[in-house]
């Protein structure tokens, strides 16, 4: 990805913003939950120090990761962003996690929609991909609701502990994104 600037993005209910070390407590609140960590690459946070290290690593990495907060509350309820970028294919890969207390309210869809819009209008990208473990129906629904199309199964693509999982691949291209805007 280009430079590391994380702009603040807003919707009717959410603010997406850069993470700071002050967010570690809010992140720990959900990152220590086994249900939240079940389908992500990181293990549940055991201490607040794990969450502090998470924020530090994100801010030092090439990832563009936003904290998700409600407009009326500065507490971070999740994260979403672009975890990889291939400059040759101009493809971004998305990732997200949300505090279980806020599941099924449409916040992840709202955040992901903002990121897709931001990427296609501001970054040098023509494709955004996301994967989810085959059993992660909630994540699948989020990507489908953001007009990402199912493209296939990636066999033995995700390892969590000693378990190996197949994943579903979803993507949206800039061409299809623009075509959907005209509808």
């Amino acid at each position: 990805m280009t430079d590391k600037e994380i702009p603040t993005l807003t919707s009717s209910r959410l603010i997406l913003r850069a993470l700071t070390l002050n967010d570690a407590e809010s992140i720990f609140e959900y990152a220590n939950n086994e249900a939240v960590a079940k389908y992500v690459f990181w293990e549940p946070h055991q201490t607040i120090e794990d969450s502090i290290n998470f924020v530090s690593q994100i801010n030092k990495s090439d990832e563009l990761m936003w904290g998700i907060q409600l407009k009326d509350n500065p507490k971070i309820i999740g994260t979403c962003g672009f975890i990889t970028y291939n400059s040759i294919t101009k493809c971004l890969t998305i990732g997200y996690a949300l505090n279980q207390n806020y599941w099924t309210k449409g916040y992840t869809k709202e955040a992901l929609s903002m990121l897709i819009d931001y990427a296609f209008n501001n970054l040098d990208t023509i494709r955004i991909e996301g994967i989810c473990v085959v059993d992660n129906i909630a994540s699948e629904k989020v990507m489908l609701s953001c007009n990402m199309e199912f493209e296939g199964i990636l066999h033995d693509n995700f390892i969590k502990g000693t378990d190996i999982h197949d994943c579903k691949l979803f993507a949206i291209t800039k061409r299809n994104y623009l075509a959907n805007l005209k509808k």
Side-chain angles (χ1 to χ4, degrees), residues 36-152:
V36 172
K38 183 175 183 178
Y39 296 122
V40 295
F41 292 106
W42 42 266
E43 294 299 324
H45 295 190
Q46 300 302 307
T47 67
I48 190 73
E49 197 65 34
D50 291 338
S51 298
I52 291 169
N53 290 337
F54 172 79
V55 173
S56 294
Q57 290 302 320
I58 288 294
N59 289 335
K60 290 177 190 170
S61 75
D62 288 337
E63 294 180 36
L64 293 179
M65 189 63 61
W66 284 258
I68 304 168
Q69 77 174 63
L70 301 176
K71 275 192 167 176
D72 60 357
N73 185 344
K75 179 175 119 174
I76 293 296
I77 63 168
T79 54
C80 62
F82 305 117
I83 53 178
T84 62
Y85 177 67
N86 183 320
S87 61
I88 296 169
T89 62
K90 300 185 185 304
C91 179
L92 289 165
T93 304
I94 56 157
Y96 46 82
L98 191 70
N99 185 317
Q100 189 174 15
N101 296 330
Y102 299 91
W103 288 1
T104 70
K105 297 178 182 353
Y107 296 132
T108 308
K109 175 190 176 185
E110 197 168 321
L112 182 55
S113 294
M114 282 193 281
L115 290 187
I116 290 169
D117 181 71
Y118 174 76
F120 287 142
N121 288 298
N122 298 282
L123 302 176
D124 187 23
T125 188
I126 61 169
R127 178 180 169 86
I128 300 171
E129 295 179 348
I131 65 167
C132 66
V133 171
V134 170
D135 296 337
N136 191 349
I137 304 303
S139 189
E140 176 180 347
K141 286 180 180 179
V142 167
M143 288 186 274
L144 289 171
S145 71
C146 290
N147 295 316
M148 296 179 76
E149 296 179 12
F150 172 69
E151 293 191 337

